[in-house]
Amino acid sequence: MDIQLMIFALYFVLIFFIGWLSLKKTQNESDYWIAGGKLGWLVGGSTMAATHTSAGTFIGTIGVIYTAGWSFGWVVLSIPLAYWFMAAVLAPRFTRLKQLTLPAFIEARYDSKGARGVAAVIIVIATVVYIQAQIIAGGLVANTIFGISPTNGMIIFTIILLVYTVIGGMIAVVYTDFLQLIIMCLGAVVSVPLALNHFGGIDNLLGYVEIVRPTSFEWDGGLAPSLLFTLSLAFFLGSVATPEKVTRLYAMKDMKTIRKGILFTILVVTIINLLVFILALGATVLFPNLPNGDLAMPLVAKTVLPTFIGTLMLAAITPAMMSTVDSLLLVAGAALSEDLFQSLIKPSATKQERLRVGRIGIFIVGVIPLFLILSGVGEGELIQFIVVLFTALMAASFFTPVVFGVWWKRGTKYGAIASMLGGVITTLIWKAYGTPTIDPVLPGFVVSIVLYFTVSLMTKRPSDEVIGRYFG
């Protein structure tokens, strides 16, 4: 059997085995959606780091640096600050009442099922956008390794992902994330020294980049400064408030665990990003005329590195995609099951009914992006910019009602609803019609904040009982 095929086959057998074991350990909804809220700092921090490190990192970031230059690296520096903010500012109050979902927090804080429903719909829409990027990356990897068409690769990737996520829930996701983080780190740590050795060291590599593409190290070599600043804002706000991240806070057992877990996340994510930057520069020298920057990483892994190591690197990209998509599928499934079906449609639904709806929802939300891609939606867009659109939608929708919701008592349900709707609508309008040199997150976030405070001050103050849930 071909060594590449054997490595991937063994990997996927192990993933399915974890899914099967997790099904046996899942006793209730808390187990399925937040792993029972009992995770320790190592597994909790690993699942958060793995969720963050997606195809947007291993293929998307490399693709943008290849296309636009080193200046994109400044954007990623906002991410450690975002995780510090999450641990120091948001988590202590946000986790006072453990919920199964982010929309459940919205209902508890603002005493509004309507606000919860709005949050759930936004999550489902944004998840469809994000999963498109990961499925496209799955097709690229399958095409590079096995020579099958990108379309068939995307279909196979989607099927594999749906099977173990639907079966095992959060327990399956966090332990596959832990395994996938190990593979990602091992692939990156082994690949970068080999790539540097290929060029004769870091100094030679930088010199080659200067010759091949002199604009790579210029501040505005490919991205306008205004776009770099607003992209940084998108990553900061989105990293704090995206639902797949904040539900990890509920999955860890206490604040001490959360702080240690997030510190671990910061270290791992920062190291992986630095290694990825080096691989991006290597791709710039080796393949200076690629039609699409997203092809850079798969080609480096296949042509520069030894067969085993190159396959390991591509195997690292695959779990990077899967560890993020499975988390988002779980969040979307919970939104459909807990926040729409049980909360608004059938309050008397049994536990079995809710889990069944959640599993069906995961399947539907996983299949829709595939159909959109096959229909030509998002065709030709760099993977990282699809990721950034998702991040902007999440930031403009949830940062304000979540963060200010635990720090400003006067925030009302009407302010929260106006903030979420205004933020997401403005972001989508700007994406379609606004100037491309400013990321949609900026106008979306500004509208979100203005509406939150304005509408809250114009409407009735929350009751003392509601305020006491997070300010008592």
Side-chain angles (χ1 to χ4, degrees), residues 15 36 79 88 92 115 125 173 203 205 236 262 266 293 321 336 342 347 366 377 388 404 443 449 457 467:
I15 288 294
I79 294 171
I125 293 171
V173 167
D203 290 337
L205 172 60
F236 173 81
I262 290 181
I266 291 172
M321 297 180 289
L336 290 168
Q342 190 271 333
V377 177
V388 170
F404 290 103
I449 282 199
L457 291 172
I467 292 173

Side-chain angles (χ1 to χ4, degrees), residues 63 176 251 311 386 392 448:
T176 53
T311 304
I386 300 176
S448 174

Side-chain angles (χ1 to χ4, degrees), residues 393-412:
L393 290 170
M394 292 290 95
S397 303
F398 295 122
F399 184 90
T400 300
V402 170
V403 173
F404 290 103
V406 296
W407 282 99
W408 190 49
K409 298 179 181 180
R410 189 64 178 76
T412 70

Side-chain angles (χ1 to χ4, degrees), residues 124-365:
V124 172
I125 293 171
T127 298
V128 168
V129 171
Y130 190 94
I131 292 176
Q132 278 186 267
Q134 311 302 313
I135 292 176
I136 291 170
L140 287 174
V141 171
N143 176 255
T144 302
I145 298 173
F146 305 117
I148 63 177
S149 72
T151 297
N152 289 336
M154 290 188 290
I155 293 171
I156 293 170
F157 173 76
T158 304
I159 291 171
I160 291 171
L161 196 65
L162 286 174
V163 169
Y164 84 82
T165 305
V166 168
I167 289 174
M170 179 65 93
I171 294 177
V173 167
V174 297
Y175 287 106
T176 53
D177 280 357
F178 185 61
L179 169 66
Q180 288 158 353
L181 185 68
I182 293 172
I183 296 173
M184 283 187 270
C185 290
L186 184 61
V189 167
V190 172
S191 298
V192 169
L194 286 173
L196 288 176
N197 183 63
H198 179 82
F199 294 105
I202 186 68
D203 290 337
N204 286 345
L205 172 60
L206 296 178
Y208 291 143
V209 174
E210 286 276 11
I211 295 170
V212 172
R213 193 170 298 167
T215 59
S216 290
F217 298 115
E218 294 178 7
W219 172 256
D220 57 351
L223 298 175
S226 60
L227 181 57
L228 287 172
F229 172 77
T230 51
L231 284 172
S232 299
L233 182 67
F235 276 100
F236 173 81
L237 299 176
S239 295
V240 170
T242 48
E244 80 280 6
K245 303 269 180 55
V246 296
T247 51
R248 263 43 183 192
L249 301 179
Y250 290 142
M252 288 186 264
K253 58 187 177 182
D254 53 37
M255 268 309 303
K256 182 179 179 181
T257 302
I258 289 171
R259 290 189 183 98
K260 292 172 70 175
I262 290 181
L263 175 60
F264 180 75
T265 299
I266 291 172
L267 292 174
V268 171
V269 168
T270 301
I271 290 170
I272 288 178
N273 278 324
L274 290 174
L275 296 176
V276 160
F277 293 166
I278 294 173
L279 292 174
L281 295 178
T284 302
V285 176
L286 291 170
F287 312 105
N289 299 309
L290 292 178
N292 186 325
D294 288 337
L295 296 171
M297 184 59 231
L299 285 174
V300 168
K302 186 169 184 178
T303 61
V304 176
L305 304 175
T307 301
F308 178 79
I309 301 302
T311 304
L312 185 65
M313 192 68 244
L314 289 169
I317 298 172
T318 304
M321 297 180 289
M322 296 175 71
S323 62
T324 301
V325 177
D326 57 22
S327 299
L328 284 165
L329 286 173
L330 209 61
V331 166
L336 290 168
S337 172
E338 303 290 327
D339 305 315
L340 291 176
F341 179 70
Q342 190 271 333
S343 179
L344 298 176
I345 298 172
K346 190 178 180 181
S348 60
T350 64
K351 178 183 73 174
Q352 289 75 18
E353 287 177 317
R354 294 196 297 271
L355 285 175
R356 184 164 56 251
V357 169
R359 286 184 164 117
I360 293 171
I362 288 171
F363 177 80
I364 292 171
V365 173

